[in-house]
Amino acid sequence: GGRLAVTCEYDAVILDVNLPGADGWTVLRGIRQRRPTPVLFLPDVGTSARVFAPILARAEALGRRAIGVDLPGFGRSRREVRTLEPAHVAAQVADLLSSLRITRVDLVAAGFAALVADALATRSPALVRRVVAIDADDAPAREAELALRCRVFG
């Protein structure tokens, strides 16, 4: 049973801590080593996720599923946005993760995206395992929000 849990694809595994020949904790460690938590990289406002390309490649080479996402309205994103409210963007990120069938994620967020990561972790604590915030100053985000409002609402 434990060997199958580590070597096969599955949706759920129920483990007993008193398995014959191995305990459930050992099997769980094997599962986690085989299928580590994906890492989602969120760039700062006005920046493309392409800045994370070398890190994404290295993470993939080390066996981690690594995903770089452009925030709505930036980088390769074509989506028109009306707000950069962190809670709103966090809901969009949660929808993306759901569509990718990702149920648990580590977040690496730069600048404004750290506010989005915080909003996502607050909104969906079971979804976010860990947040790493890089240069989490929201002044550029406030400036970008103001510029966006001026462009949209004149």
Side-chain angles (χ1 to χ4, degrees):
R3 184 178 54 231
L4 290 175
V6 173
T7 59
C8 296
E9 292 297 319
Y10 52 86
D11 291 323
V13 177
I14 298 173
L15 298 171
D16 186 338
V17 294
N18 294 318
L19 292 171
D23 63 87
W25 300 113
T26 302
V27 174
L28 180 60
R29 276 191 294 279
I31 292 169
R32 285 186 175 159
Q33 287 174 350
R34 182 177 168 271
R35 295 181 67 179
T37 303
V39 184
L40 181 69
F41 290 83
L42 299 171
D44 197 0
V45 160
T47 307
S48 170
R50 287 178 283 188
V51 301
F52 291 121
I55 299 168
L56 294 170
R58 180 76 175 134
E60 291 280 349
L62 293 172
R64 290 290 293 269
R65 182 174 180 192
I67 305 161
V69 175
D70 287 326
L71 294 178
F74 297 97
R76 294 182 183 173
S77 169
R78 294 186 186 154
R79 175 175 271 169
E80 291 292 322
V81 295
R82 294 222 179 256
T83 182
L84 291 176
E85 179 64 37
H88 179 74
V89 179
Q92 293 175 328
V93 172
D95 289 345
L96 170 68
L97 293 171
S98 176
S99 71
L100 294 173
R101 303 180 112 195
I102 295 175
T103 58
R104 190 95 165 125
V105 70
D106 290 338
L107 296 173
V108 176
F112 166 76
L115 300 174
V116 174
D118 179 61
L120 182 59
T122 301
R123 174 186 193 268
S124 306
L127 179 61
V128 179
R129 183 177 79 130
R130 175 179 304 151
V131 174
V132 177
I134 304 167
D135 192 26
D137 175 13
D138 70 342
R142 287 193 305 268
E143 293 169 12
E145 174 77 12
L146 180 61
L148 181 64
R149 286 182 188 193
C150 289
R151 228 179 26 231
V152 171
F153 301 111

